[in-house]
Amino acid sequence: MSNKPTFLRRAAAALALACCTIGAAHAAATITIVNINQPGVGFNDRTPAQPVGGNNGRTLGEQRLIAFQHAADIWARTLTSPVPIRVEAVFEPLVCSADGAVLGSAGAIEIFRDFPKAPKANTWYPGALASKLTGTDMASQGRGHIRARFNSRLGLFPDCLPGSGFYLGLDRKAGEQIDLVAVLLHELGHGLGFQNFTDEGTGEFFDGKPSIWDHFLVDIRNNKAWVNMKNDERRLSAIGGATLSWNGERVYKAAAGILAPEPQLLISGMAAGATGGKHRVGDASFGPQLGQNAVTGELMPLIDQASGGGLACTPLSPANAMAVRGNIALVDRGACAFVTKARILQNAGARGMVVVENTDDPVSPLGGSDPAVRIPAVRIDKATGERLKTAMYRRSRTSSGVVASLGVDPDKLAGTDWVRRVRMYSPEEYSPGSSVSHYSVDTKPNQLMEPSINPDLTHDVLPPHDLTFPLLQDIGW
Ligand SMILES: [Zn+2]
């Protein structure tokens, strides 16, 4: 989802504020929603609605507003600030197609630097945070601190994700729909400061000055923070793949209690040769979760194609069935669903499934769902798959001399770097609005501030489930 600030006009250098005292720390913050929709649309849409999941609004507009207030209250209970936070909110048509959509976008309306009590000099802060830190409302007369937009057409029109509109209930039971409360929490997170004001596409600072974000963002290849880089270094750092991490103490400490160990494929055995050791995998949304007790067996390739590949989309030949029985099957991606392959291999007695990617893409999870699948499955990249096939070339009909263990790496948390810092989203192809200002998609469990909203999110923004608030604490909340 896009996170670019809608307005970023005010360079509030050298603000002279008369008074700057703050009373005792408040136990919470106040968040006010400023409904900027026109009559009859968005939050004012009078289409009748039935109560859903604890949301008893009587119109579509009322239900949207109730969901928004619910999300705002969760943030208000979490934050502390003596200055009420105003969110200018609107439901309006956003980018949409039949199979993809921008759910929403949000950001700071104004940013500030060198205000009284600013923790770091020459550094941009979002308006809501700057107001908290200085104890005075910094917003221009009459403006809010955050602007948030949400897609008013989602799921309601054939050209805008038909069938998967916003779920307006408050109880996390969104099913196949998109949980609006989770989307609202995510977008408010951006508006509160989970965003960079530096241009990730060019590497240029806003108005020549770094953002607070740049002090914490490090490239793990040279351990250099963005604040200390030149434009071109930042631009390249943003598209390095899995190369950016968050170097903040709160996130670092919280991650150990939130993130699960990283799934892995461990290869060993007489014939393993150079393929021996740990390999990155994408784990499966079906079948048993990978855990400390790895599922181990000899790796055996399945061959049911003239090319020498194996798809496992049809019941296995006797020779293939003999090869995979009691072993871990290696199959190629393609031609049928992952769960179909898994079920066919399971029926033949395989203990696990390794799917070889058929593109040059980095590994990603295996999607799908089928409660009948009881064997674990992972995806490896194409190059690793080819090396493993070569290592198994001299196998017998039931043994390859290559042993595969499907489990987790107890030394590594999912979505962290080599020193356990949580990684940020930095795909090799720059994705405006998504790159850099989100957590890595490799985090497990899924995090609120990943670039897309996953169906298994809680409505929590802080430990023990979520790393959003720890990051905001790192930048000054
Ligand atoms: Zn986002």
Side-chain angles (χ1 to χ4, degrees):
M1 280 180 296
S2 175
N3 64 285
K4 274 291 151 203
T6 319
F7 304 103
L8 205 69
R9 296 219 173 95
R10 179 132 165 238
L15 265 190
L17 293 177
C19 122
C20 332
T21 49
I22 311 184
H26 290 225
T30 303
I31 300 181
T32 308
I33 300 160
V34 184
N35 170 3
I36 57 172
N37 267 128
Q38 297 296 314
V41 298
F43 289 113
N44 306 319
D45 191 317
R46 294 193 202 91
T47 308
Q50 294 299 314
V52 55
N55 188 335
N56 296 323
R58 286 162 303 175
T59 64
L60 177 57
E62 274 181 30
Q63 290 198 345
R64 285 168 167 168
L65 206 53
I66 288 169
F68 205 132
Q69 191 63 56
H70 184 77
D73 289 346
I74 290 171
W75 270 119
R77 286 197 296 273
T78 307
L79 303 168
T80 55
S81 178
V83 179
I85 300 161
R86 289 184 302 282
V87 183
E88 295 180 7
V90 64
F91 265 82
E92 62 188 11
L94 299 177
V95 174
C96 223
S97 71
D99 45 23
V102 173
L103 304 178
S105 70
I109 293 174
E110 297 171 297
I111 60 176
F112 301 88
R113 64 178 173 85
D114 299 301
F115 48 87
K117 299 187 181 174
K120 289 192 193 299
N122 282 321
T123 297
W124 294 110
Y125 288 81
L129 175 55
S131 297
K132 169 206 163 87
L133 291 168
T134 198
T136 307
D137 194 343
M138 305 277 284
S140 303
Q141 193 69 40
R143 290 309 307 264
H145 304 93
I146 294 171
R147 185 173 161 101
R149 305 156 73 209
F150 301 90
N151 199 330
S152 60
R153 300 180 72 247
L154 192 79
L156 304 176
F157 296 87
D159 63 341
C160 193
L161 277 186
S164 49
F166 282 125
Y167 176 71
L168 297 163
L170 314 178
D171 58 357
R172 300 204 290 122
K173 294 182 179 161
E176 296 295 303
Q177 292 182 290
I178 296 157
D179 190 356
L180 178 61
V181 173
V183 174
L184 293 161
L185 290 169
H186 176 108
E187 298 302 341
L188 286 170
H190 282 314
L192 291 163
F194 206 107
Q195 67 173 151
N196 199 359
F197 308 114
T198 295
D199 186 330
E200 304 97 357
T202 64
E204 286 172 66
F205 289 147
F206 180 76
D207 204 25
K209 301 282 190 257
S211 303
I212 184 61
W213 196 263
D214 299 317
H215 291 266
F216 293 94
L217 197 63
V218 290
D219 192 308
I220 64 175
R221 293 168 294 191
N222 54 13
N223 235 14
K224 206 168 175 181
W226 269 35
V227 66
N228 298 320
M229 290 183 188
K230 296 188 172 65
N231 289 353
D232 219 39
E233 287 178 277
R234 276 187 291 272
R235 183 182 67 77
L236 293 170
S237 178
I239 52 173
T243 50
L244 277 182
S245 288
W246 185 260
N247 194 29
E249 201 179 333
R250 298 285 196 147
V251 171
Y252 177 81
K253 285 185 174 158
I258 293 177
L259 298 180
E262 186 162 277
Q264 70 168 5
L265 170 65
L266 187 65
I267 294 292
S268 59
M270 299 285 285
T275 66
K278 300 170 177 178
H279 297 275
R280 267 179 72 83
V281 298
D283 59 357
S285 56
F286 52 88
Q289 289 293 297
L290 300 176
Q292 305 279 7
N293 294 324
V295 173
T296 300
E298 284 209 50
L299 189 65
M300 289 295 284
L302 190 91
I303 297 176
D304 58 15
Q305 301 296 302
S307 62
L311 294 170
C313 292
T314 52
L316 304 191
S317 69
N320 275 324
M322 189 198 287
V324 303
R325 189 175 305 132
N327 289 329
I328 309 278
L330 185 85
V331 300
D332 296 303
R333 179 186 176 194
C336 64
F338 299 125
V339 290
T340 304
K341 295 172 192 280
R343 218 169 338 101
I344 285 170
L345 294 169
Q346 175 175 296
N347 291 343
R351 307 186 64 188
M353 173 173 83
V354 177
V355 177
V356 180
E357 173 58 39
N358 60 3
T359 71
D360 291 325
D361 292 347
V363 289
S364 56
L366 295 172
S369 108
D370 183 347
V373 174
R374 298 180 309 275
I375 60 170
V378 298
R379 168 160 31 191
I380 57 174
D381 64 38
K382 193 175 169 188
T384 305
E386 279 165 7
R387 293 210 311 278
L388 284 167
K389 286 179 183 177
T390 303
M392 293 187 288
Y393 186 69
R394 290 175 182 281
R395 70 191 179 280
S396 73
R397 294 173 74 177
T398 56
S399 172
S400 68
V402 175
V403 176
S405 281
L406 276 56
V408 296
D409 182 348
D411 299 325
K412 191 146 188 260
L413 299 174
T416 64
D417 66 15
W418 53 289
V419 284
R420 288 199 164 199
R421 291 175 302 210
V422 179
R423 285 191 281 110
M424 307 306 289
Y425 185 61
S426 54
E428 288 170 20
E429 190 174 342
Y430 172 56
S431 175
S434 289
S435 291
V436 180
S437 293
H438 291 96
Y439 281 128
S440 161
V441 294
D442 297 332
T443 54
K444 273 176 211 314
N446 282 319
Q447 293 294 300
L448 178 67
M449 297 311 289
E450 288 182 45
S452 14
I453 294 292
N454 289 289
D456 58 344
L457 291 176
T458 64
H459 286 170
D460 295 326
V461 295
L462 72 177
H465 295 121
D466 193 73
L467 288 164
T468 310
F469 185 54
L471 184 144
L472 294 181
Q473 289 179 295
D474 276 335
I475 64 169
W477 275 102

